Amino acid sequence: YYPYWADHDESIPWEHLTHLAFFSVSLNPDGSLGNDHNWSTRGAALVEAGKSHGVKVVLTVTMFDSDEIREVLSTPENRDRAIQNLLTLVQDAGGEGINIDFEFVPAPQAGESPSPKENFVTFMQDLTTAFHAAIDNSHVSLATPAIDWGGTYDYDALALSTDGLMIMGYGY
């Protein structure tokens, strides 16, 4: 991850990287975009620098509220809106993919079907399909907890429907 508050773009050790994930743009529960933390102004320059070193520059998308994650995943309209908005934002900067950092996918509520776990897999499948169709050799990944205490991540399905899982091993 390359956080938006880092202001030393000229000293990125490109020769040691394969991917750089700009952190981050926030996503709203209705699938609209929140603060892009200057991706729209810095993204293209980072992408250009990355390409000159053979590094894929991707945009990280964050949601850190379980209720908001439930809402964005709950309807095809919200998921589709999010995918289209994210794809446009990445394409406008010439980016090469996306990294999803949703902390944490919520457990299902009584009677909720499909569950957020199932909707997250659907979202990631649709996101990967959209990015792969629109951007040649794009990279779609997601951040996962090191231990899924709530059983809300389908690691097998997520691994099969994306280009990679990044395990957040903070504290290990």
PDB file of all heavy atoms in Angstrom, residues 24-52:
ATOM      1  N   SER A  24      -6.181   5.708  -0.487  1.00  0.00           N
ATOM      2  CA  SER A  24      -7.283   4.972  -1.024  1.00  0.00           C
ATOM      3  C   SER A  24      -8.378   5.939  -1.432  1.00  0.00           C
ATOM      4  O   SER A  24      -8.325   7.121  -1.120  1.00  0.00           O
ATOM      5  CB  SER A  24      -7.826   4.008   0.036  1.00  0.00           C
ATOM      6  OG  SER A  24      -8.522   4.701   1.062  1.00  0.00           O
ATOM      7  N   VAL A  25      -9.377   5.393  -2.066  1.00  0.00           N
ATOM      8  CA  VAL A  25     -10.634   6.099  -2.305  1.00  0.00           C
ATOM      9  C   VAL A  25     -11.679   5.435  -1.415  1.00  0.00           C
ATOM     10  O   VAL A  25     -11.666   4.223  -1.221  1.00  0.00           O
ATOM     11  CB  VAL A  25     -11.067   6.050  -3.788  1.00  0.00           C
ATOM     12  CG1 VAL A  25     -11.283   4.637  -4.265  1.00  0.00           C
ATOM     13  CG2 VAL A  25     -12.309   6.880  -4.039  1.00  0.00           C
ATOM     14  N   SER A  26     -12.557   6.244  -0.848  1.00  0.00           N
ATOM     15  CA  SER A  26     -13.627   5.670  -0.031  1.00  0.00           C
ATOM     16  C   SER A  26     -14.858   5.445  -0.895  1.00  0.00           C
ATOM     17  O   SER A  26     -15.089   6.137  -1.880  1.00  0.00           O
ATOM     18  CB  SER A  26     -13.955   6.580   1.161  1.00  0.00           C
ATOM     19  OG  SER A  26     -14.381   7.847   0.732  1.00  0.00           O
ATOM     20  N   LEU A  27     -15.610   4.426  -0.513  1.00  0.00           N
ATOM     21  CA  LEU A  27     -16.828   4.067  -1.226  1.00  0.00           C
ATOM     22  C   LEU A  27     -18.014   4.326  -0.317  1.00  0.00           C
ATOM     23  O   LEU A  27     -17.955   4.026   0.879  1.00  0.00           O
ATOM     24  CB  LEU A  27     -16.770   2.584  -1.623  1.00  0.00           C
ATOM     25  CG  LEU A  27     -17.870   2.047  -2.524  1.00  0.00           C
ATOM     26  CD1 LEU A  27     -17.861   2.744  -3.882  1.00  0.00           C
ATOM     27  CD2 LEU A  27     -17.694   0.544  -2.713  1.00  0.00           C
ATOM     28  N   ASN A  28     -19.068   4.898  -0.866  1.00  0.00           N
ATOM     29  CA  ASN A  28     -20.287   5.157  -0.107  1.00  0.00           C
ATOM     30  C   ASN A  28     -21.234   3.962  -0.221  1.00  0.00           C
ATOM     31  O   ASN A  28     -21.161   3.190  -1.183  1.00  0.00           O
ATOM     32  CB  ASN A  28     -20.980   6.420  -0.629  1.00  0.00           C
ATOM     33  CG  ASN A  28     -20.133   7.652  -0.402  1.00  0.00           C
ATOM     34  OD1 ASN A  28     -19.510   7.814   0.628  1.00  0.00           O
ATOM     35  ND2 ASN A  28     -20.095   8.521  -1.408  1.00  0.00           N
ATOM     36  N   PRO A  29     -22.149   3.810   0.726  1.00  0.00           N
ATOM     37  CA  PRO A  29     -23.054   2.656   0.738  1.00  0.00           C
ATOM     38  C   PRO A  29     -23.935   2.513  -0.504  1.00  0.00           C
ATOM     39  O   PRO A  29     -24.364   1.409  -0.825  1.00  0.00           O
ATOM     40  CB  PRO A  29     -23.912   2.880   1.979  1.00  0.00           C
ATOM     41  CG  PRO A  29     -23.149   3.806   2.838  1.00  0.00           C
ATOM     42  CD  PRO A  29     -22.319   4.645   1.907  1.00  0.00           C
ATOM     43  N   ASP A  30     -24.179   3.611  -1.220  1.00  0.00           N
ATOM     44  CA  ASP A  30     -25.013   3.525  -2.423  1.00  0.00           C
ATOM     45  C   ASP A  30     -24.191   3.231  -3.677  1.00  0.00           C
ATOM     46  O   ASP A  30     -24.723   3.182  -4.780  1.00  0.00           O
ATOM     47  CB  ASP A  30     -25.830   4.803  -2.612  1.00  0.00           C
ATOM     48  CG  ASP A  30     -24.983   6.027  -2.911  1.00  0.00           C
ATOM     49  OD1 ASP A  30     -23.725   5.958  -2.878  1.00  0.00           O
ATOM     50  OD2 ASP A  30     -25.578   7.096  -3.185  1.00  0.00           O
ATOM     51  N   GLY A  31     -22.881   3.039  -3.506  1.00  0.00           N
ATOM     52  CA  GLY A  31     -22.012   2.757  -4.645  1.00  0.00           C
ATOM     53  C   GLY A  31     -21.379   3.986  -5.257  1.00  0.00           C
ATOM     54  O   GLY A  31     -20.589   3.875  -6.193  1.00  0.00           O
ATOM     55  N   SER A  32     -21.717   5.160  -4.741  1.00  0.00           N
ATOM     56  CA  SER A  32     -21.050   6.372  -5.207  1.00  0.00           C
ATOM     57  C   SER A  32     -19.683   6.470  -4.529  1.00  0.00           C
ATOM     58  O   SER A  32     -19.406   5.766  -3.557  1.00  0.00           O
ATOM     59  CB  SER A  32     -21.902   7.612  -4.906  1.00  0.00           C
ATOM     60  OG  SER A  32     -22.053   7.786  -3.506  1.00  0.00           O
ATOM     61  N   LEU A  33     -18.851   7.351  -5.059  1.00  0.00           N
ATOM     62  CA  LEU A  33     -17.503   7.492  -4.529  1.00  0.00           C
ATOM     63  C   LEU A  33     -17.434   8.593  -3.492  1.00  0.00           C
ATOM     64  O   LEU A  33     -18.090   9.619  -3.620  1.00  0.00           O
ATOM     65  CB  LEU A  33     -16.521   7.788  -5.663  1.00  0.00           C
ATOM     66  CG  LEU A  33     -16.456   6.741  -6.768  1.00  0.00           C
ATOM     67  CD1 LEU A  33     -15.510   7.196  -7.868  1.00  0.00           C
ATOM     68  CD2 LEU A  33     -16.059   5.387  -6.223  1.00  0.00           C
ATOM     69  N   GLY A  34     -16.610   8.357  -2.494  1.00  0.00           N
ATOM     70  CA  GLY A  34     -16.328   9.370  -1.484  1.00  0.00           C
ATOM     71  C   GLY A  34     -15.018  10.054  -1.831  1.00  0.00           C
ATOM     72  O   GLY A  34     -14.673  10.219  -3.003  1.00  0.00           O
ATOM     73  N   ASN A  35     -14.265  10.400  -0.830  1.00  0.00           N
ATOM     74  CA  ASN A  35     -12.992  11.089  -0.987  1.00  0.00           C
ATOM     75  C   ASN A  35     -12.002  10.206  -1.743  1.00  0.00           C
ATOM     76  O   ASN A  35     -11.755   9.068  -1.365  1.00  0.00           O
ATOM     77  CB  ASN A  35     -12.450  11.437   0.399  1.00  0.00           C
ATOM     78  CG  ASN A  35     -11.264  12.364   0.352  1.00  0.00           C
ATOM     79  OD1 ASN A  35     -10.611  12.530  -0.669  1.00  0.00           O
ATOM     80  ND2 ASN A  35     -10.983  12.989   1.482  1.00  0.00           N
ATOM     81  N   ASP A  36     -11.414  10.733  -2.817  1.00  0.00           N
ATOM     82  CA  ASP A  36     -10.432   9.950  -3.577  1.00  0.00           C
ATOM     83  C   ASP A  36      -9.002  10.261  -3.141  1.00  0.00           C
ATOM     84  O   ASP A  36      -8.050   9.736  -3.705  1.00  0.00           O
ATOM     85  CB  ASP A  36     -10.609  10.119  -5.078  1.00  0.00           C
ATOM     86  CG  ASP A  36     -10.004  11.397  -5.647  1.00  0.00           C
ATOM     87  OD1 ASP A  36      -9.568  12.276  -4.877  1.00  0.00           O
ATOM     88  OD2 ASP A  36      -9.956  11.514  -6.883  1.00  0.00           O
ATOM     89  N   HIS A  37      -8.850  11.098  -2.136  1.00  0.00           N
ATOM     90  CA  HIS A  37      -7.544  11.439  -1.569  1.00  0.00           C
ATOM     91  C   HIS A  37      -6.508  11.784  -2.648  1.00  0.00           C
ATOM     92  O   HIS A  37      -5.373  11.332  -2.590  1.00  0.00           O
ATOM     93  CB  HIS A  37      -7.043  10.320  -0.662  1.00  0.00           C
ATOM     94  CG  HIS A  37      -7.889  10.153   0.557  1.00  0.00           C
ATOM     95  ND1 HIS A  37      -8.748   9.092   0.708  1.00  0.00           N
ATOM     96  CD2 HIS A  37      -8.031  10.906   1.666  1.00  0.00           C
ATOM     97  CE1 HIS A  37      -9.381   9.204   1.861  1.00  0.00           C
ATOM     98  NE2 HIS A  37      -8.972  10.308   2.456  1.00  0.00           N
ATOM     99  N   ASN A  38      -6.960  12.558  -3.624  1.00  0.00           N
ATOM    100  CA  ASN A  38      -6.112  13.087  -4.697  1.00  0.00           C
ATOM    101  C   ASN A  38      -5.671  12.055  -5.734  1.00  0.00           C
ATOM    102  O   ASN A  38      -4.763  12.317  -6.512  1.00  0.00           O
ATOM    103  CB  ASN A  38      -4.896  13.829  -4.134  1.00  0.00           C
ATOM    104  CG  ASN A  38      -5.298  15.052  -3.358  1.00  0.00           C
ATOM    105  OD1 ASN A  38      -6.182  15.802  -3.783  1.00  0.00           O
ATOM    106  ND2 ASN A  38      -4.697  15.246  -2.197  1.00  0.00           N
ATOM    107  N   TRP A  39      -6.315  10.882  -5.766  1.00  0.00           N
ATOM    108  CA  TRP A  39      -6.023   9.931  -6.840  1.00  0.00           C
ATOM    109  C   TRP A  39      -6.258  10.588  -8.200  1.00  0.00           C
ATOM    110  O   TRP A  39      -5.479  10.398  -9.125  1.00  0.00           O
ATOM    111  CB  TRP A  39      -6.886   8.681  -6.708  1.00  0.00           C
ATOM    112  CG  TRP A  39      -6.909   7.813  -7.936  1.00  0.00           C
ATOM    113  CD1 TRP A  39      -7.863   7.787  -8.902  1.00  0.00           C
ATOM    114  CD2 TRP A  39      -5.922   6.852  -8.330  1.00  0.00           C
ATOM    115  NE1 TRP A  39      -7.548   6.860  -9.879  1.00  0.00           N
ATOM    116  CE2 TRP A  39      -6.348   6.276  -9.549  1.00  0.00           C
ATOM    117  CE3 TRP A  39      -4.710   6.423  -7.784  1.00  0.00           C
ATOM    118  CZ2 TRP A  39      -5.621   5.296 -10.219  1.00  0.00           C
ATOM    119  CZ3 TRP A  39      -3.985   5.438  -8.454  1.00  0.00           C
ATOM    120  CH2 TRP A  39      -4.442   4.890  -9.658  1.00  0.00           C
ATOM    121  N   SER A  40      -7.316  11.383  -8.307  1.00  0.00           N
ATOM    122  CA  SER A  40      -7.655  12.002  -9.596  1.00  0.00           C
ATOM    123  C   SER A  40      -6.576  12.974 -10.054  1.00  0.00           C
ATOM    124  O   SER A  40      -6.459  13.237 -11.249  1.00  0.00           O
ATOM    125  CB  SER A  40      -9.021  12.679  -9.537  1.00  0.00           C
ATOM    126  OG  SER A  40      -9.043  13.634  -8.504  1.00  0.00           O
ATOM    127  N   THR A  41      -5.763  13.489  -9.144  1.00  0.00           N
ATOM    128  CA  THR A  41      -4.685  14.395  -9.547  1.00  0.00           C
ATOM    129  C   THR A  41      -3.311  13.728  -9.516  1.00  0.00           C
ATOM    130  O   THR A  41      -2.433  14.106 -10.280  1.00  0.00           O
ATOM    131  CB  THR A  41      -4.649  15.656  -8.655  1.00  0.00           C
ATOM    132  OG1 THR A  41      -4.508  15.266  -7.292  1.00  0.00           O
ATOM    133  CG2 THR A  41      -5.907  16.481  -8.834  1.00  0.00           C
ATOM    134  N   ARG A  42      -3.105  12.721  -8.674  1.00  0.00           N
ATOM    135  CA  ARG A  42      -1.803  12.047  -8.562  1.00  0.00           C
ATOM    136  C   ARG A  42      -1.749  10.714  -9.291  1.00  0.00           C
ATOM    137  O   ARG A  42      -0.654  10.223  -9.615  1.00  0.00           O
ATOM    138  CB  ARG A  42      -1.460  11.795  -7.093  1.00  0.00           C
ATOM    139  CG  ARG A  42      -1.155  13.032  -6.316  1.00  0.00           C
ATOM    140  CD  ARG A  42      -0.966  12.738  -4.847  1.00  0.00           C
ATOM    141  NE  ARG A  42       0.208  11.931  -4.570  1.00  0.00           N
ATOM    142  CZ  ARG A  42       0.401  11.325  -3.404  1.00  0.00           C
ATOM    143  NH1 ARG A  42      -0.493  11.410  -2.440  1.00  0.00           N
ATOM    144  NH2 ARG A  42       1.492  10.620  -3.204  1.00  0.00           N
ATOM    145  N   GLY A  43      -2.902  10.112  -9.506  1.00  0.00           N
ATOM    146  CA  GLY A  43      -2.942   8.759 -10.046  1.00  0.00           C
ATOM    147  C   GLY A  43      -2.217   8.595 -11.363  1.00  0.00           C
ATOM    148  O   GLY A  43      -1.425   7.666 -11.534  1.00  0.00           O
ATOM    149  N   ALA A  44      -2.469   9.478 -12.309  1.00  0.00           N
ATOM    150  CA  ALA A  44      -1.867   9.342 -13.639  1.00  0.00           C
ATOM    151  C   ALA A  44      -0.346   9.387 -13.573  1.00  0.00           C
ATOM    152  O   ALA A  44       0.337   8.616 -14.264  1.00  0.00           O
ATOM    153  CB  ALA A  44      -2.402  10.419 -14.579  1.00  0.00           C
ATOM    154  N   ALA A  45       0.208  10.267 -12.753  1.00  0.00           N
ATOM    155  CA  ALA A  45       1.664  10.353 -12.625  1.00  0.00           C
ATOM    156  C   ALA A  45       2.233   9.089 -11.982  1.00  0.00           C
ATOM    157  O   ALA A  45       3.294   8.593 -12.395  1.00  0.00           O
ATOM    158  CB  ALA A  45       2.053  11.586 -11.814  1.00  0.00           C
ATOM    159  N   LEU A  46       1.535   8.558 -10.989  1.00  0.00           N
ATOM    160  CA  LEU A  46       1.990   7.316 -10.366  1.00  0.00           C
ATOM    161  C   LEU A  46       1.919   6.155 -11.360  1.00  0.00           C
ATOM    162  O   LEU A  46       2.840   5.332 -11.426  1.00  0.00           O
ATOM    163  CB  LEU A  46       1.152   6.999  -9.131  1.00  0.00           C
ATOM    164  CG  LEU A  46       1.401   7.864  -7.900  1.00  0.00           C
ATOM    165  CD1 LEU A  46       0.339   7.618  -6.835  1.00  0.00           C
ATOM    166  CD2 LEU A  46       2.792   7.601  -7.342  1.00  0.00           C
ATOM    167  N   VAL A  47       0.847   6.104 -12.130  1.00  0.00           N
ATOM    168  CA  VAL A  47       0.699   5.047 -13.133  1.00  0.00           C
ATOM    169  C   VAL A  47       1.818   5.137 -14.164  1.00  0.00           C
ATOM    170  O   VAL A  47       2.447   4.128 -14.511  1.00  0.00           O
ATOM    171  CB  VAL A  47      -0.687   5.107 -13.817  1.00  0.00           C
ATOM    172  CG1 VAL A  47      -0.742   4.192 -15.036  1.00  0.00           C
ATOM    173  CG2 VAL A  47      -1.781   4.754 -12.820  1.00  0.00           C
ATOM    174  N   GLU A  48       2.096   6.341 -14.641  1.00  0.00           N
ATOM    175  CA  GLU A  48       3.156   6.528 -15.639  1.00  0.00           C
ATOM    176  C   GLU A  48       4.512   6.098 -15.083  1.00  0.00           C
ATOM    177  O   GLU A  48       5.272   5.395 -15.754  1.00  0.00           O
ATOM    178  CB  GLU A  48       3.209   7.990 -16.079  1.00  0.00           C
ATOM    179  CG  GLU A  48       4.223   8.261 -17.170  1.00  0.00           C
ATOM    180  CD  GLU A  48       4.215   9.717 -17.615  1.00  0.00           C
ATOM    181  OE1 GLU A  48       3.148  10.349 -17.603  1.00  0.00           O
ATOM    182  OE2 GLU A  48       5.303  10.207 -17.979  1.00  0.00           O
ATOM    183  N   ALA A  49       4.809   6.500 -13.855  1.00  0.00           N
ATOM    184  CA  ALA A  49       6.078   6.106 -13.227  1.00  0.00           C
ATOM    185  C   ALA A  49       6.134   4.593 -13.044  1.00  0.00           C
ATOM    186  O   ALA A  49       7.167   3.966 -13.288  1.00  0.00           O
ATOM    187  CB  ALA A  49       6.252   6.823 -11.894  1.00  0.00           C
ATOM    188  N   GLY A  50       5.026   4.012 -12.614  1.00  0.00           N
ATOM    189  CA  GLY A  50       4.979   2.568 -12.436  1.00  0.00           C
ATOM    190  C   GLY A  50       5.216   1.826 -13.739  1.00  0.00           C
ATOM    191  O   GLY A  50       6.000   0.873 -13.790  1.00  0.00           O
ATOM    192  N   LYS A  51       4.542   2.253 -14.791  1.00  0.00           N
ATOM    193  CA  LYS A  51       4.700   1.586 -16.084  1.00  0.00           C
ATOM    194  C   LYS A  51       6.136   1.638 -16.571  1.00  0.00           C
ATOM    195  O   LYS A  51       6.641   0.679 -17.152  1.00  0.00           O
ATOM    196  CB  LYS A  51       3.760   2.205 -17.118  1.00  0.00           C
ATOM    197  CG  LYS A  51       2.325   1.763 -16.956  1.00  0.00           C
ATOM    198  CD  LYS A  51       1.415   2.322 -18.028  1.00  0.00           C
ATOM    199  CE  LYS A  51       0.002   1.811 -17.807  1.00  0.00           C
ATOM    200  NZ  LYS A  51      -0.943   2.339 -18.785  1.00  0.00           N
ATOM    201  N   SER A  52       6.830   2.751 -16.328  1.00  0.00           N
ATOM    202  CA  SER A  52       8.221   2.867 -16.777  1.00  0.00           C
ATOM    203  C   SER A  52       9.145   1.908 -16.032  1.00  0.00           C
ATOM    204  O   SER A  52      10.268   1.654 -16.474  1.00  0.00           O
ATOM    205  CB  SER A  52       8.719   4.313 -16.640  1.00  0.00           C
ATOM    206  OG  SER A  52       8.923   4.637 -15.279  1.00  0.00           O
TER     207      SER A  52
END
